[in-house]
Amino acid sequence: MSEEQEVVTVVKAPVYLKYNFTAGAAPARFLAQIKKGVLTGQRCPKCSAVYVPPRGSCGGCGVATEEEVVLSNKATVQSFTIVYIPIPNNPIQPPYIIANVVPDGANVSFIHLMSECVNEDVHIGARVEAVWKPKEEWAFAMDNIRYYRPIDEPNVPVDQIGKLPVTGLEG
Amino acid sequence: MANLAAVVGIGQTKYMTKRLDVSIAGLVREAAVNALQDADLTWDDIDAVILGKAPDMFEGVIMPETYLTDALGCNGKPMLRVHTAGSVGGSTALVAASHVQSGMFKRVLTVSFEKQSESNAMWALSNPQPFSTHLNAGAGGYFAPIIREYMRRSNAPYDVGIKVAVKDRLHGARNPLAHLQKPDITMQEVEESFMLWDPIRFLEACPSSDGACAMIIANEELADKASKKPAWIRGVAMRSEPTMYAGRDEVNPQAGRDCAADVYKQAGITNPRKDLDCAEVYVPFSWYEPMWLENLGFAPEGEGWKLTMEGATSLDEGGDIPWNCSGGVLSSNAIGASGMIRFAEAARQVRGDAGDHQVEGAKLALGHAYGGGAQFYAMWVVGSEKP
């Protein structure tokens, strides 16, 4: 044995955790629909707000949501960020836009990728639509929507963001 | 009515990117020993230990409190772990305080920590779930759109965040424990630093730090006999709200406003800007200073940025309400400890023990922490005098 040994202070020991995802009643219904190419939310029986993705309850009222609502492919940009750092193990090249989008017919936003856009032109209130993966790739996953892209519709006034009916701007 | 309690000892580590010379156990023990020394006490004087840290996924050590028992001298003593995401350092201090205020214990040690060099926070915060798309943009990616919405609403000039980034680093340069030491930082340097999550630039974001913070909280009888001046706890409050509900105001969250109103009421504060001498507020991204100035009632809605731009929050500009004299989260971010550092630094100020970042004659100070999707809040007000 050599007397001169390298001093070991840190050893990298990756831990791999594999989970079975138990969807629960509300996400199970949401995922079953998105597998068929349909984006759905759930309506609060008390305040009528529509949640997407539904988690089975309204956080504001603290009551269960049951009624299922089909949402539009069209949505509004509530806010966004332009990201300049790469996502580990993801082919998306920075800079790319992550937007908080509210689908027509829903009252909360979720984050998704934006593409087919000029980053500098994206703005709060911009109208966008979902671009889906090819049907044969649809799984039980939100990623069935590949990204959102801008559409040629008038901006939504800020006080109307998150309040449009499923029929969109024309109401 | 709660019994009186006070901070009688404070211990911190030097915050830095990598503390390779100590394990997690060594890190927390260092802060605890420093607090005991500050209070002129020994391990035998401690009745119970309250520990806090951010998610276990960070370092991959599950329930680290069980492994840290020996290092914190609480073998055979009551120990409790607190977890409220990024606000945990603050809520841990509040849980510790409540164990004394209730009369349950006479003197408790409270410690919080993070060893970010042994962790991957971005990964730990982004485990994939099938009902959302997996974009792994970390905390900056989450908070940047909220900042953008604040900028739209308030019509604030584009360089408010840049000013905060400079101000807090100049404060940090007065604090030898601060991780970032940038006494020569300029507005231009911050503006030219690369964009991470537009509108957040590199120098407008907090660093990743290793570090721990500890405090000893004692009841009135023991605090009266303390070797150094105690910081009397004048108000304590915690609030939370769901991450997502329809109509949620993410820029100016209800839970933060309610928490501030509660803690001010207990401390007899009616005008926080006037009544408080300074504040240590959790600002991990520069624009959160003007946002929290409004949320915490230091300025009317939409006008927080004016205080920042006037220099009201700057020690170097002689501001009337200095914020984050220690350098704040923008200068040191050992996540689990960051909230407790705010609480401890507020206590240092009213003890008159804050060294080069002391606000002269500080009598009343606010400590603040937030966490999760800006949904968990913990606050305390400490004073140099008994209520």
Side-chain angles (χ1 to χ4, degrees), chain B residues 11-13 19 22-37 42-43 51 67-75 109 111-113 211-214:
Chain B
Q12 300 182 62
T13 62
R19 275 297 300 269
V22 286
S23 60
I24 293 172
L27 190 72
V28 294
R29 189 175 177 88
E30 186 176 307
V33 166
N34 288 345
L36 286 170
Q37 281 175 356
T42 68
W43 294 105
L51 179 76
Y67 134 70
L68 296 172
T69 307
D70 282 337
L72 292 172
C74 50
N75 217 329
L109 168 69
V111 187
S112 62
F113 75 92
C213 181

PDB file of all heavy atoms in Angstrom, chain B residues 11-13 19 22-37 42-43 51 67-75 109 111-113 211-214:
ATOM      1  N   GLY B  11     -25.798  32.209  16.415  1.00  0.00           N
ATOM      2  CA  GLY B  11     -24.575  31.653  15.819  1.00  0.00           C
ATOM      3  C   GLY B  11     -24.791  31.383  14.340  1.00  0.00           C
ATOM      4  O   GLY B  11     -25.839  30.890  13.936  1.00  0.00           O
ATOM      5  N   GLN B  12     -23.824  31.776  13.530  1.00  0.00           N
ATOM      6  CA  GLN B  12     -23.924  31.509  12.093  1.00  0.00           C
ATOM      7  C   GLN B  12     -22.597  30.933  11.619  1.00  0.00           C
ATOM      8  O   GLN B  12     -21.567  31.072  12.278  1.00  0.00           O
ATOM      9  CB  GLN B  12     -24.212  32.813  11.318  1.00  0.00           C
ATOM     10  CG  GLN B  12     -25.503  33.508  11.715  1.00  0.00           C
ATOM     11  CD  GLN B  12     -25.769  34.766  10.879  1.00  0.00           C
ATOM     12  OE1 GLN B  12     -25.917  34.698   9.671  1.00  0.00           O
ATOM     13  NE2 GLN B  12     -25.824  35.912  11.535  1.00  0.00           N
ATOM     14  N   THR B  13     -22.638  30.329  10.438  1.00  0.00           N
ATOM     15  CA  THR B  13     -21.393  29.937   9.776  1.00  0.00           C
ATOM     16  C   THR B  13     -21.088  31.001   8.734  1.00  0.00           C
ATOM     17  O   THR B  13     -21.955  31.803   8.377  1.00  0.00           O
ATOM     18  CB  THR B  13     -21.546  28.591   9.055  1.00  0.00           C
ATOM     19  OG1 THR B  13     -22.543  28.733   8.041  1.00  0.00           O
ATOM     20  CG2 THR B  13     -21.971  27.482  10.019  1.00  0.00           C
ATOM     21  N   ARG B  19     -18.607  24.177   1.509  1.00  0.00           N
ATOM     22  CA  ARG B  19     -17.926  23.897   2.767  1.00  0.00           C
ATOM     23  C   ARG B  19     -17.482  22.433   2.721  1.00  0.00           C
ATOM     24  O   ARG B  19     -18.142  21.549   3.250  1.00  0.00           O
ATOM     25  CB  ARG B  19     -18.871  24.144   3.948  1.00  0.00           C
ATOM     26  CG  ARG B  19     -18.919  25.586   4.412  1.00  0.00           C
ATOM     27  CD  ARG B  19     -17.594  26.109   4.956  1.00  0.00           C
ATOM     28  NE  ARG B  19     -17.107  25.366   6.100  1.00  0.00           N
ATOM     29  CZ  ARG B  19     -17.382  25.659   7.379  1.00  0.00           C
ATOM     30  NH1 ARG B  19     -18.143  26.696   7.669  1.00  0.00           N
ATOM     31  NH2 ARG B  19     -16.893  24.933   8.358  1.00  0.00           N
ATOM     32  N   VAL B  22     -16.482  20.316   6.184  1.00  0.00           N
ATOM     33  CA  VAL B  22     -17.427  19.763   7.161  1.00  0.00           C
ATOM     34  C   VAL B  22     -18.546  18.988   6.465  1.00  0.00           C
ATOM     35  O   VAL B  22     -18.894  19.277   5.325  1.00  0.00           O
ATOM     36  CB  VAL B  22     -18.089  20.863   8.040  1.00  0.00           C
ATOM     37  CG1 VAL B  22     -17.139  21.430   9.062  1.00  0.00           C
ATOM     38  CG2 VAL B  22     -18.683  21.967   7.177  1.00  0.00           C
ATOM     39  N   SER B  23     -19.077  17.995   7.191  1.00  0.00           N
ATOM     40  CA  SER B  23     -20.290  17.303   6.758  1.00  0.00           C
ATOM     41  C   SER B  23     -21.484  18.176   7.138  1.00  0.00           C
ATOM     42  O   SER B  23     -21.316  19.243   7.743  1.00  0.00           O
ATOM     43  CB  SER B  23     -20.383  15.957   7.472  1.00  0.00           C
ATOM     44  OG  SER B  23     -20.438  16.200   8.872  1.00  0.00           O
ATOM     45  N   ILE B  24     -22.695  17.694   6.821  1.00  0.00           N
ATOM     46  CA  ILE B  24     -23.899  18.419   7.262  1.00  0.00           C
ATOM     47  C   ILE B  24     -23.900  18.517   8.786  1.00  0.00           C
ATOM     48  O   ILE B  24     -24.183  19.572   9.357  1.00  0.00           O
ATOM     49  CB  ILE B  24     -25.177  17.713   6.751  1.00  0.00           C
ATOM     50  CG1 ILE B  24     -25.264  17.817   5.223  1.00  0.00           C
ATOM     51  CG2 ILE B  24     -26.428  18.311   7.394  1.00  0.00           C
ATOM     52  CD1 ILE B  24     -26.382  16.988   4.607  1.00  0.00           C
ATOM     53  N   ALA B  25     -23.527  17.412   9.442  1.00  0.00           N
ATOM     54  CA  ALA B  25     -23.503  17.408  10.914  1.00  0.00           C
ATOM     55  C   ALA B  25     -22.510  18.444  11.442  1.00  0.00           C
ATOM     56  O   ALA B  25     -22.793  19.171  12.405  1.00  0.00           O
ATOM     57  CB  ALA B  25     -23.153  16.013  11.424  1.00  0.00           C
ATOM     58  N   GLY B  26     -21.348  18.514  10.796  1.00  0.00           N
ATOM     59  CA  GLY B  26     -20.336  19.483  11.223  1.00  0.00           C
ATOM     60  C   GLY B  26     -20.797  20.912  11.013  1.00  0.00           C
ATOM     61  O   GLY B  26     -20.507  21.809  11.811  1.00  0.00           O
ATOM     62  N   LEU B  27     -21.536  21.108   9.931  1.00  0.00           N
ATOM     63  CA  LEU B  27     -22.034  22.451   9.593  1.00  0.00           C
ATOM     64  C   LEU B  27     -23.037  22.944  10.646  1.00  0.00           C
ATOM     65  O   LEU B  27     -22.913  24.067  11.154  1.00  0.00           O
ATOM     66  CB  LEU B  27     -22.687  22.409   8.214  1.00  0.00           C
ATOM     67  CG  LEU B  27     -23.064  23.732   7.569  1.00  0.00           C
ATOM     68  CD1 LEU B  27     -21.824  24.480   7.110  1.00  0.00           C
ATOM     69  CD2 LEU B  27     -23.994  23.509   6.378  1.00  0.00           C
ATOM     70  N   VAL B  28     -24.014  22.101  10.977  1.00  0.00           N
ATOM     71  CA  VAL B  28     -25.034  22.546  11.944  1.00  0.00           C
ATOM     72  C   VAL B  28     -24.411  22.698  13.337  1.00  0.00           C
ATOM     73  O   VAL B  28     -24.771  23.598  14.097  1.00  0.00           O
ATOM     74  CB  VAL B  28     -26.271  21.607  12.005  1.00  0.00           C
ATOM     75  CG1 VAL B  28     -27.037  21.648  10.699  1.00  0.00           C
ATOM     76  CG2 VAL B  28     -25.909  20.178  12.364  1.00  0.00           C
ATOM     77  N   ARG B  29     -23.456  21.826  13.652  1.00  0.00           N
ATOM     78  CA  ARG B  29     -22.832  21.911  14.982  1.00  0.00           C
ATOM     79  C   ARG B  29     -22.052  23.224  15.113  1.00  0.00           C
ATOM     80  O   ARG B  29     -22.071  23.859  16.169  1.00  0.00           O
ATOM     81  CB  ARG B  29     -21.912  20.711  15.219  1.00  0.00           C
ATOM     82  CG  ARG B  29     -21.432  20.659  16.676  1.00  0.00           C
ATOM     83  CD  ARG B  29     -20.607  19.416  16.973  1.00  0.00           C
ATOM     84  NE  ARG B  29     -20.110  19.416  18.331  1.00  0.00           N
ATOM     85  CZ  ARG B  29     -20.762  18.939  19.384  1.00  0.00           C
ATOM     86  NH1 ARG B  29     -21.974  18.425  19.228  1.00  0.00           N
ATOM     87  NH2 ARG B  29     -20.226  18.978  20.593  1.00  0.00           N
ATOM     88  N   GLU B  30     -21.398  23.616  14.030  1.00  0.00           N
ATOM     89  CA  GLU B  30     -20.620  24.863  14.070  1.00  0.00           C
ATOM     90  C   GLU B  30     -21.523  26.057  14.414  1.00  0.00           C
ATOM     91  O   GLU B  30     -21.183  26.884  15.275  1.00  0.00           O
ATOM     92  CB  GLU B  30     -19.955  25.078  12.710  1.00  0.00           C
ATOM     93  CG  GLU B  30     -18.997  26.247  12.645  1.00  0.00           C
ATOM     94  CD  GLU B  30     -18.322  26.319  11.278  1.00  0.00           C
ATOM     95  OE1 GLU B  30     -17.741  25.296  10.821  1.00  0.00           O
ATOM     96  OE2 GLU B  30     -18.381  27.383  10.637  1.00  0.00           O
ATOM     97  N   ALA B  31     -22.688  26.132  13.758  1.00  0.00           N
ATOM     98  CA  ALA B  31     -23.621  27.238  14.041  1.00  0.00           C
ATOM     99  C   ALA B  31     -24.132  27.139  15.477  1.00  0.00           C
ATOM    100  O   ALA B  31     -24.216  28.146  16.193  1.00  0.00           O
ATOM    101  CB  ALA B  31     -24.794  27.212  13.060  1.00  0.00           C
ATOM    102  N   ALA B  32     -24.457  25.917  15.932  1.00  0.00           N
ATOM    103  CA  ALA B  32     -24.991  25.727  17.280  1.00  0.00           C
ATOM    104  C   ALA B  32     -23.951  26.103  18.336  1.00  0.00           C
ATOM    105  O   ALA B  32     -24.268  26.788  19.316  1.00  0.00           O
ATOM    106  CB  ALA B  32     -25.443  24.277  17.463  1.00  0.00           C
ATOM    107  N   VAL B  33     -22.705  25.679  18.130  1.00  0.00           N
ATOM    108  CA  VAL B  33     -21.634  26.004  19.087  1.00  0.00           C
ATOM    109  C   VAL B  33     -21.427  27.523  19.132  1.00  0.00           C
ATOM    110  O   VAL B  33     -21.263  28.103  20.205  1.00  0.00           O
ATOM    111  CB  VAL B  33     -20.336  25.256  18.716  1.00  0.00           C
ATOM    112  CG1 VAL B  33     -19.145  25.830  19.481  1.00  0.00           C
ATOM    113  CG2 VAL B  33     -20.480  23.765  19.002  1.00  0.00           C
ATOM    114  N   ASN B  34     -21.470  28.156  17.969  1.00  0.00           N
ATOM    115  CA  ASN B  34     -21.335  29.620  17.931  1.00  0.00           C
ATOM    116  C   ASN B  34     -22.461  30.305  18.723  1.00  0.00           C
ATOM    117  O   ASN B  34     -22.221  31.298  19.414  1.00  0.00           O
ATOM    118  CB  ASN B  34     -21.340  30.130  16.488  1.00  0.00           C
ATOM    119  CG  ASN B  34     -20.052  29.791  15.750  1.00  0.00           C
ATOM    120  OD1 ASN B  34     -19.048  29.424  16.377  1.00  0.00           O
ATOM    121  ND2 ASN B  34     -20.069  29.882  14.433  1.00  0.00           N
ATOM    122  N   ALA B  35     -23.670  29.755  18.626  1.00  0.00           N
ATOM    123  CA  ALA B  35     -24.800  30.341  19.367  1.00  0.00           C
ATOM    124  C   ALA B  35     -24.627  30.136  20.872  1.00  0.00           C
ATOM    125  O   ALA B  35     -24.903  31.039  21.665  1.00  0.00           O
ATOM    126  CB  ALA B  35     -26.122  29.731  18.889  1.00  0.00           C
ATOM    127  N   LEU B  36     -24.172  28.937  21.259  1.00  0.00           N
ATOM    128  CA  LEU B  36     -23.929  28.669  22.686  1.00  0.00           C
ATOM    129  C   LEU B  36     -22.865  29.614  23.235  1.00  0.00           C
ATOM    130  O   LEU B  36     -23.003  30.162  24.332  1.00  0.00           O
ATOM    131  CB  LEU B  36     -23.487  27.208  22.888  1.00  0.00           C
ATOM    132  CG  LEU B  36     -24.586  26.141  22.753  1.00  0.00           C
ATOM    133  CD1 LEU B  36     -23.966  24.747  22.723  1.00  0.00           C
ATOM    134  CD2 LEU B  36     -25.600  26.249  23.885  1.00  0.00           C
ATOM    135  N   GLN B  37     -21.800  29.795  22.463  1.00  0.00           N
ATOM    136  CA  GLN B  37     -20.732  30.705  22.898  1.00  0.00           C
ATOM    137  C   GLN B  37     -21.239  32.126  23.032  1.00  0.00           C
ATOM    138  O   GLN B  37     -20.930  32.831  23.991  1.00  0.00           O
ATOM    139  CB  GLN B  37     -19.557  30.650  21.918  1.00  0.00           C
ATOM    140  CG  GLN B  37     -18.687  29.422  22.143  1.00  0.00           C
ATOM    141  CD  GLN B  37     -17.594  29.275  21.100  1.00  0.00           C
ATOM    142  OE1 GLN B  37     -17.525  30.070  20.134  1.00  0.00           O
ATOM    143  NE2 GLN B  37     -16.746  28.270  21.267  1.00  0.00           N
ATOM    144  N   THR B  42     -23.862  26.229  27.800  1.00  0.00           N
ATOM    145  CA  THR B  42     -23.351  24.930  27.348  1.00  0.00           C
ATOM    146  C   THR B  42     -24.535  24.067  26.902  1.00  0.00           C
ATOM    147  O   THR B  42     -25.697  24.431  27.102  1.00  0.00           O
ATOM    148  CB  THR B  42     -22.605  24.194  28.483  1.00  0.00           C
ATOM    149  OG1 THR B  42     -23.568  23.828  29.487  1.00  0.00           O
ATOM    150  CG2 THR B  42     -21.528  25.089  29.108  1.00  0.00           C
ATOM    151  N   TRP B  43     -24.194  22.903  26.350  1.00  0.00           N
ATOM    152  CA  TRP B  43     -25.243  22.001  25.850  1.00  0.00           C
ATOM    153  C   TRP B  43     -26.239  21.652  26.947  1.00  0.00           C
ATOM    154  O   TRP B  43     -27.425  21.489  26.692  1.00  0.00           O
ATOM    155  CB  TRP B  43     -24.615  20.711  25.302  1.00  0.00           C
ATOM    156  CG  TRP B  43     -23.782  20.932  24.080  1.00  0.00           C
ATOM    157  CD1 TRP B  43     -22.413  20.934  24.004  1.00  0.00           C
ATOM    158  CD2 TRP B  43     -24.257  21.185  22.753  1.00  0.00           C
ATOM    159  NE1 TRP B  43     -22.017  21.179  22.708  1.00  0.00           N
ATOM    160  CE2 TRP B  43     -23.124  21.327  21.929  1.00  0.00           C
ATOM    161  CE3 TRP B  43     -25.533  21.307  22.190  1.00  0.00           C
ATOM    162  CZ2 TRP B  43     -23.228  21.588  20.565  1.00  0.00           C
ATOM    163  CZ3 TRP B  43     -25.641  21.557  20.827  1.00  0.00           C
ATOM    164  CH2 TRP B  43     -24.490  21.708  20.039  1.00  0.00           C
ATOM    165  N   LEU B  51     -35.293  21.941  14.678  1.00  0.00           N
ATOM    166  CA  LEU B  51     -34.438  21.963  13.483  1.00  0.00           C
ATOM    167  C   LEU B  51     -35.279  22.203  12.229  1.00  0.00           C
ATOM    168  O   LEU B  51     -36.387  21.679  12.118  1.00  0.00           O
ATOM    169  CB  LEU B  51     -33.715  20.615  13.357  1.00  0.00           C
ATOM    170  CG  LEU B  51     -32.788  20.448  12.155  1.00  0.00           C
ATOM    171  CD1 LEU B  51     -31.495  21.194  12.368  1.00  0.00           C
ATOM    172  CD2 LEU B  51     -32.504  18.982  11.886  1.00  0.00           C
ATOM    173  N   TYR B  67     -30.359  11.847  12.053  1.00  0.00           N
ATOM    174  CA  TYR B  67     -28.905  11.690  11.983  1.00  0.00           C
ATOM    175  C   TYR B  67     -28.166  12.845  12.667  1.00  0.00           C
ATOM    176  O   TYR B  67     -27.032  12.687  13.126  1.00  0.00           O
ATOM    177  CB  TYR B  67     -28.518  11.505  10.508  1.00  0.00           C
ATOM    178  CG  TYR B  67     -27.347  12.280   9.937  1.00  0.00           C
ATOM    179  CD1 TYR B  67     -26.027  11.980  10.315  1.00  0.00           C
ATOM    180  CD2 TYR B  67     -27.546  13.267   8.972  1.00  0.00           C
ATOM    181  CE1 TYR B  67     -24.956  12.675   9.748  1.00  0.00           C
ATOM    182  CE2 TYR B  67     -26.494  13.956   8.416  1.00  0.00           C
ATOM    183  CZ  TYR B  67     -25.200  13.656   8.812  1.00  0.00           C
ATOM    184  OH  TYR B  67     -24.151  14.339   8.252  1.00  0.00           O
ATOM    185  N   LEU B  68     -28.830  14.000  12.806  1.00  0.00           N
ATOM    186  CA  LEU B  68     -28.153  15.175  13.374  1.00  0.00           C
ATOM    187  C   LEU B  68     -28.330  15.289  14.894  1.00  0.00           C
ATOM    188  O   LEU B  68     -27.830  16.232  15.511  1.00  0.00           O
ATOM    189  CB  LEU B  68     -28.676  16.440  12.688  1.00  0.00           C
ATOM    190  CG  LEU B  68     -28.355  16.504  11.185  1.00  0.00           C
ATOM    191  CD1 LEU B  68     -29.057  17.682  10.534  1.00  0.00           C
ATOM    192  CD2 LEU B  68     -26.851  16.581  10.954  1.00  0.00           C
ATOM    193  N   THR B  69     -29.022  14.336  15.482  1.00  0.00           N
ATOM    194  CA  THR B  69     -29.301  14.393  16.925  1.00  0.00           C
ATOM    195  C   THR B  69     -28.022  14.533  17.751  1.00  0.00           C
ATOM    196  O   THR B  69     -27.921  15.404  18.615  1.00  0.00           O
ATOM    197  CB  THR B  69     -30.066  13.124  17.360  1.00  0.00           C
ATOM    198  OG1 THR B  69     -31.213  12.979  16.530  1.00  0.00           O
ATOM    199  CG2 THR B  69     -30.505  13.214  18.807  1.00  0.00           C
ATOM    200  N   ASP B  70     -27.050  13.677  17.483  1.00  0.00           N
ATOM    201  CA  ASP B  70     -25.798  13.722  18.251  1.00  0.00           C
ATOM    202  C   ASP B  70     -25.081  15.049  18.047  1.00  0.00           C
ATOM    203  O   ASP B  70     -24.611  15.679  18.991  1.00  0.00           O
ATOM    204  CB  ASP B  70     -24.866  12.584  17.835  1.00  0.00           C
ATOM    205  CG  ASP B  70     -25.280  11.254  18.455  1.00  0.00           C
ATOM    206  OD1 ASP B  70     -25.957  11.292  19.496  1.00  0.00           O
ATOM    207  OD2 ASP B  70     -24.926  10.203  17.888  1.00  0.00           O
ATOM    208  N   ALA B  71     -25.003  15.486  16.789  1.00  0.00           N
ATOM    209  CA  ALA B  71     -24.267  16.716  16.480  1.00  0.00           C
ATOM    210  C   ALA B  71     -24.885  17.918  17.185  1.00  0.00           C
ATOM    211  O   ALA B  71     -24.197  18.898  17.465  1.00  0.00           O
ATOM    212  CB  ALA B  71     -24.248  16.951  14.969  1.00  0.00           C
ATOM    213  N   LEU B  72     -26.185  17.853  17.464  1.00  0.00           N
ATOM    214  CA  LEU B  72     -26.868  18.981  18.088  1.00  0.00           C
ATOM    215  C   LEU B  72     -27.109  18.751  19.572  1.00  0.00           C
ATOM    216  O   LEU B  72     -27.904  19.459  20.208  1.00  0.00           O
ATOM    217  CB  LEU B  72     -28.180  19.277  17.346  1.00  0.00           C
ATOM    218  CG  LEU B  72     -27.950  19.823  15.928  1.00  0.00           C
ATOM    219  CD1 LEU B  72     -29.254  19.929  15.165  1.00  0.00           C
ATOM    220  CD2 LEU B  72     -27.265  21.192  15.980  1.00  0.00           C
ATOM    221  N   GLY B  73     -26.428  17.778  20.116  1.00  0.00           N
ATOM    222  CA  GLY B  73     -26.452  17.575  21.573  1.00  0.00           C
ATOM    223  C   GLY B  73     -27.823  17.276  22.126  1.00  0.00           C
ATOM    224  O   GLY B  73     -28.109  17.601  23.273  1.00  0.00           O
ATOM    225  N   CYS B  74     -28.680  16.646  21.340  1.00  0.00           N
ATOM    226  CA  CYS B  74     -30.029  16.425  21.870  1.00  0.00           C
ATOM    227  C   CYS B  74     -30.378  14.950  21.987  1.00  0.00           C
ATOM    228  O   CYS B  74     -31.551  14.583  21.942  1.00  0.00           O
ATOM    229  CB  CYS B  74     -31.068  17.196  21.070  1.00  0.00           C
ATOM    230  SG  CYS B  74     -30.985  16.983  19.321  1.00  0.00           S
ATOM    231  N   ASN B  75     -29.353  14.130  22.149  1.00  0.00           N
ATOM    232  CA  ASN B  75     -29.625  12.739  22.462  1.00  0.00           C
ATOM    233  C   ASN B  75     -30.374  12.672  23.793  1.00  0.00           C
ATOM    234  O   ASN B  75     -29.884  13.160  24.803  1.00  0.00           O
ATOM    235  CB  ASN B  75     -28.276  12.009  22.592  1.00  0.00           C
ATOM    236  CG  ASN B  75     -28.366  10.610  22.021  1.00  0.00           C
ATOM    237  OD1 ASN B  75     -29.424  10.003  22.065  1.00  0.00           O
ATOM    238  ND2 ASN B  75     -27.268  10.129  21.495  1.00  0.00           N
ATOM    239  N   LEU B 109     -32.798  25.479  21.668  1.00  0.00           N
ATOM    240  CA  LEU B 109     -31.864  25.764  20.577  1.00  0.00           C
ATOM    241  C   LEU B 109     -32.611  25.540  19.274  1.00  0.00           C
ATOM    242  O   LEU B 109     -33.316  24.529  19.132  1.00  0.00           O
ATOM    243  CB  LEU B 109     -30.666  24.810  20.665  1.00  0.00           C
ATOM    244  CG  LEU B 109     -29.715  24.758  19.463  1.00  0.00           C
ATOM    245  CD1 LEU B 109     -28.926  26.057  19.323  1.00  0.00           C
ATOM    246  CD2 LEU B 109     -28.757  23.568  19.591  1.00  0.00           C
ATOM    247  N   VAL B 111     -32.061  25.556  14.981  1.00  0.00           N
ATOM    248  CA  VAL B 111     -31.007  25.525  13.953  1.00  0.00           C
ATOM    249  C   VAL B 111     -31.649  25.265  12.600  1.00  0.00           C
ATOM    250  O   VAL B 111     -32.607  24.496  12.502  1.00  0.00           O
ATOM    251  CB  VAL B 111     -29.986  24.378  14.230  1.00  0.00           C
ATOM    252  CG1 VAL B 111     -28.805  24.461  13.275  1.00  0.00           C
ATOM    253  CG2 VAL B 111     -29.501  24.394  15.673  1.00  0.00           C
ATOM    254  N   SER B 112     -31.129  25.908  11.566  1.00  0.00           N
ATOM    255  CA  SER B 112     -31.562  25.539  10.218  1.00  0.00           C
ATOM    256  C   SER B 112     -30.359  25.611   9.288  1.00  0.00           C
ATOM    257  O   SER B 112     -29.379  26.297   9.579  1.00  0.00           O
ATOM    258  CB  SER B 112     -32.695  26.449   9.740  1.00  0.00           C
ATOM    259  OG  SER B 112     -32.247  27.771   9.669  1.00  0.00           O
ATOM    260  N   PHE B 113     -30.446  24.876   8.209  1.00  0.00           N
ATOM    261  CA  PHE B 113     -29.252  24.747   7.364  1.00  0.00           C
ATOM    262  C   PHE B 113     -29.611  24.375   5.928  1.00  0.00           C
ATOM    263  O   PHE B 113     -30.725  23.952   5.626  1.00  0.00           O
ATOM    264  CB  PHE B 113     -28.335  23.644   7.930  1.00  0.00           C
ATOM    265  CG  PHE B 113     -28.853  22.239   7.669  1.00  0.00           C
ATOM    266  CD1 PHE B 113     -28.473  21.537   6.542  1.00  0.00           C
ATOM    267  CD2 PHE B 113     -29.737  21.644   8.552  1.00  0.00           C
ATOM    268  CE1 PHE B 113     -28.964  20.258   6.298  1.00  0.00           C
ATOM    269  CE2 PHE B 113     -30.236  20.365   8.317  1.00  0.00           C
ATOM    270  CZ  PHE B 113     -29.845  19.674   7.183  1.00  0.00           C
ATOM    271  N   GLY B 211     -24.443  26.645   4.431  1.00  0.00           N
ATOM    272  CA  GLY B 211     -24.404  27.398   5.673  1.00  0.00           C
ATOM    273  C   GLY B 211     -25.481  26.974   6.649  1.00  0.00           C
ATOM    274  O   GLY B 211     -26.434  26.263   6.288  1.00  0.00           O
ATOM    275  N   ALA B 212     -25.298  27.399   7.897  1.00  0.00           N
ATOM    276  CA  ALA B 212     -26.273  27.112   8.946  1.00  0.00           C
ATOM    277  C   ALA B 212     -26.381  28.316   9.862  1.00  0.00           C
ATOM    278  O   ALA B 212     -25.445  29.112   9.977  1.00  0.00           O
ATOM    279  CB  ALA B 212     -25.860  25.880   9.741  1.00  0.00           C
ATOM    280  N   CYS B 213     -27.545  28.431  10.483  1.00  0.00           N
ATOM    281  CA  CYS B 213     -27.816  29.523  11.405  1.00  0.00           C
ATOM    282  C   CYS B 213     -28.482  28.926  12.642  1.00  0.00           C
ATOM    283  O   CYS B 213     -29.278  27.993  12.522  1.00  0.00           O
ATOM    284  CB  CYS B 213     -28.745  30.533  10.727  1.00  0.00           C
ATOM    285  SG  CYS B 213     -29.146  31.955  11.764  1.00  0.00           S
ATOM    286  N   ALA B 214     -28.136  29.449  13.805  1.00  0.00           N
ATOM    287  CA  ALA B 214     -28.712  28.923  15.046  1.00  0.00           C
ATOM    288  C   ALA B 214     -29.061  30.073  15.973  1.00  0.00           C
ATOM    289  O   ALA B 214     -28.428  31.142  15.929  1.00  0.00           O
ATOM    290  CB  ALA B 214     -27.721  27.984  15.732  1.00  0.00           C
TER     291      ALA B 214
END
